[in-house]
Amino acid sequence: MTVTLPSTGQVWDWLSEVPDPEIPVVSVTDLGIVRDVRWDGDTLAVAVTPTYSGCPATAVIDLAIETHLRAKGVEKVRLERRLSPPWTTDWVTAEAREKLKSYGIAPPIDGTAPDGRGGLAARLSGRANLVIECPRCGSGNTAKVSQFGSTPCKASYQCRDCLEPFDYFKCH
Amino acid sequence: MPSLPDAEMPDALALAERAAAEQVHDPHVADVDLKPAFFDWLCRIGDNALILGHRVSEWCGHAPVLEEDIALANVALDLIGQTQMWLSLAAEVEDKGRTADDLAYLRDAMKFRNIKLVELPNGDMGVTVMRQFLFDAYHFELLTALARSESPRVAEIAAKALKEVAYHLERSSDLVIRLGDGTAESHARMQAALDALWPYAGEVFVADAVDEAVARAGIAPALPDLLPKWERTVAEVLDEATLTRPDRRFDVHVGGKQGRHTEHLGYILAEMQFLQRAYPGAEW
Ligand SMILES: [Zn+2]
């Protein structure tokens, strides 16, 4: 008896149904952390890249992917860790950015990741003050509370107009 | 919220091993002549991240304000995650069947290769912030150089870690400036922290045979090349922070890289390694 293996396109569709454990409105493919899907004989190999090297969600994401694919009938799944090229917020899809915003998280502003000495110079001269729009009222009159927020990928901000505290998905 | 499915947790170690097996070929990893120095050097990088990460994690639940508590925990988490990558590669290079966990939990103090700066007690926030800044300024330059390493395995870890450390350096330099150029009290504490830590700050730049061997192999930069960049960052930030660079040597307390540590490391290991020592192989 021969078993027809699902196409990798089908697998990508299934993966787009797997939510990120910490921000469930976006999927693992929305975030751009699935790097490769391929068949190795009758084993499905899925390469995932970590967002942050110490991100505690990594193991949970692997588990969620494996569980979902098994539920779809894939019997042999192998998860691989892929480090390079390193994940950046550039991989976050446009659709995901809209979803983040409506969920109350300000999406990342591309090209604003710190770059060490250059970032230092920018900050000392005041050029590093980003305008992060409040996801609730849209005001640009917001202030950074902390560069480090509830999870490694987010910073804490507050709106000075509507007073809403919110997360900013920081550029990485 | 749906309950977690009844499935086995993915085996992180097996995942890492399989990923490693599929990596691009890196001739340095299997170079027998290079092995002792490469292993030792990877332990230095990994142990700096591990011990500083552990120290910083001690603030969790104790920091003076909530935002700092969260930031410190995030920095610690990044460093522990980086440790996992460095020590995994170290174990692979050593090729004696040990894992990153074995290296972290089952080595004695004399086998640790971190610099003394990172094992010093947290002290007050002034000491914690200043230690972080002096280390971050070095860590950033090191990783920037390592991201261009001729060893692809080293380069990919460095590129990943660099993105995190850029945030660490931004935060710690920001805090040094705010606290140094703050109240009389915060200024005095930051200057006292700088004076106390300064003789430890230079150990990372003192090269020995191990550093020279990995530099010759194209894996790592020559340490003297990093120093001017570190000095520039430090000078810029201290100046902005109205703090005075101590007029004394910064490479007084050395030896950590060769396994000669302060008494403080033993206490860290006693806490960090207790579980694996008392219950070998325990998992959760
Ligand atoms: Zn608002």
Side-chain angles (χ1 to χ4, degrees):
Chain A
M1 185 183 116
T2 54
V3 181
T4 311
L5 300 172
S7 70
T8 50
Q10 173 66 70
V11 173
W12 278 103
D13 284 347
W14 287 336
L15 290 172
S16 72
E17 298 161 3
V18 178
D20 175 76
E22 282 171 343
I23 313 172
V25 288
V26 293
S27 73
V28 293
T29 53
D30 283 338
L31 283 176
I33 57 174
V34 178
R35 284 294 169 80
D36 190 26
V37 173
R38 67 180 194 282
W39 286 101
D40 182 4
D42 60 352
T43 300
L44 181 64
V46 180
V48 180
T49 194
T51 50
Y52 283 70
S53 51
C55 184
T58 307
V60 183
I61 289 171
D62 286 351
L63 177 65
I65 288 175
E66 190 169 344
T67 306
H68 191 68
L69 293 176
R70 285 192 194 288
K72 293 293 182 186
V74 181
E75 287 185 4
K76 294 184 186 169
V77 181
R78 185 177 75 222
L79 285 162
E80 296 168 359
R81 183 127 315 153
R82 189 75 55 89
L83 280 184
S84 61
W87 178 82
T88 70
T89 36
D90 295 346
W91 292 75
V92 179
T93 63
E95 195 188 353
R97 288 162 198 257
E98 283 308 310
K99 289 184 195 168
L100 285 172
K101 204 169 171 181
S102 53
Y103 188 62
I105 298 174
I109 298 177
D110 288 338
T112 56
D115 59 353
R117 289 185 309 278
L120 180 67
R123 192 177 56 262
L124 295 181
S125 65
R127 279 185 287 118
N129 295 325
L130 301 178
V131 177
I132 308 294
E133 287 180 5
C134 169
R136 183 174 177 272
C137 74
S139 165
N141 184 18
T142 61
K144 181 165 78 184
V145 178
S146 173
Q147 186 66 270
F148 293 84
S150 55
T151 66
C153 58
K154 287 176 278 179
S156 300
Y157 274 74
Q158 184 165 25
C159 179
R160 287 194 175 115
D161 287 335
C162 78
L163 303 182
E164 176 86 348
F166 63 91
D167 280 331
Y168 164 58
F169 198 108
K170 64 192 180 200
C171 189
H172 187 68
Chain B
M1 190 189 138
S3 60
L4 276 174
D6 186 18
E8 277 193 6
M9 284 294 281
D11 182 348
L13 179 66
L15 276 175
E17 279 170 359
R18 279 196 298 254
E22 301 195 355
Q23 288 286 342
V24 284
H25 181 63
D26 185 343
H28 300 92
V29 172
D31 184 334
V32 177
D33 295 333
L34 187 62
K35 182 185 288 196
F38 196 11
F39 173 73
D40 222 54
W41 178 80
L42 284 165
C43 287
R44 291 178 179 183
I45 312 286
D47 290 346
N48 280 341
L50 174 60
I51 299 303
L52 184 58
H54 190 83
R55 268 295 184 225
V56 174
S57 78
E58 291 172 0
W59 277 106
C60 189
H62 299 279
V65 290
L66 182 62
E67 287 74 18
E68 276 314 301
D69 202 290
I70 293 169
L72 287 160
N74 268 285
V75 170
L77 190 62
D78 286 343
L79 290 169
I80 303 291
Q82 294 165 17
T83 304
Q84 176 75 35
M85 298 191 290
W86 290 120
L87 292 187
S88 291
L89 183 54
E92 197 183 325
V93 167
E94 187 195 36
D95 196 25
K96 286 188 182 165
R98 292 203 283 184
T99 65
D101 279 354
D102 292 337
L103 292 175
Y105 296 124
L106 301 175
R107 271 181 304 159
D108 290 326
M110 285 181 311
K111 298 288 186 190
F112 270 76
R113 294 292 180 260
N114 58 280
I115 54 168
K116 288 179 174 174
L117 175 73
V118 298
E119 70 198 36
L120 297 177
N122 286 335
D124 60 10
M125 274 298 280
V127 171
T128 293
V129 166
M130 185 57 76
R131 180 185 59 196
Q132 190 73 41
F133 168 67
L134 294 171
F135 182 77
D136 289 345
Y138 149 78
H139 205 194
F140 179 82
E141 298 304 341
L142 174 74
L143 294 171
T144 301
L146 292 182
R148 297 188 297 266
S149 170
E150 285 174 27
S151 160
R153 297 291 301 283
V154 167
E156 68 173 2
I157 296 174
K160 183 79 202 155
L162 179 60
K163 301 169 71 56
E164 294 156 7
V165 170
Y167 272 109
H168 299 177
L169 177 58
E170 182 170 292
R171 167 178 171 273
S172 61
S173 42
D174 206 45
L175 276 177
V176 166
I177 292 167
R178 274 204 275 169
L179 293 172
D181 189 18
T183 65
E185 173 76 17
S186 71
H187 176 86
R189 285 183 183 237
M190 292 307 285
Q191 186 64 53
L194 177 60
D195 293 345
L197 296 173
W198 190 250
Y200 293 89
E203 183 182 355
V204 274
F205 298 107
V206 182
D208 65 1
V210 169
D211 295 310
E212 282 156 12
V214 290
R216 255 196 325 273
I219 293 172
L223 290 178
D225 293 348
L226 296 182
L227 184 55
K229 295 169 185 157
W230 180 84
E231 288 192 311
R232 196 171 66 204
T233 305
V234 168
E236 244 180 82
V237 171
L238 292 186
D239 184 52
E240 190 75 15
T242 70
L243 295 169
T244 308
R245 175 182 167 142
D247 185 19
R248 57 187 290 206
R249 283 178 56 184
F250 76 155
D251 54 356
V252 179
H253 299 295
V254 297
K257 285 161 65 166
Q258 290 82 23
R260 298 190 303 277
H261 293 281
T262 67
E263 61 177 326
H264 307 296
L265 183 64
Y267 291 94
I268 296 176
L269 298 187
E271 183 179 301
M272 194 176 80
Q273 298 184 335
F274 169 78
L275 196 86
Q276 283 302 323
R277 299 283 195 180
Y279 305 95
E283 288 181 33
W284 65 305

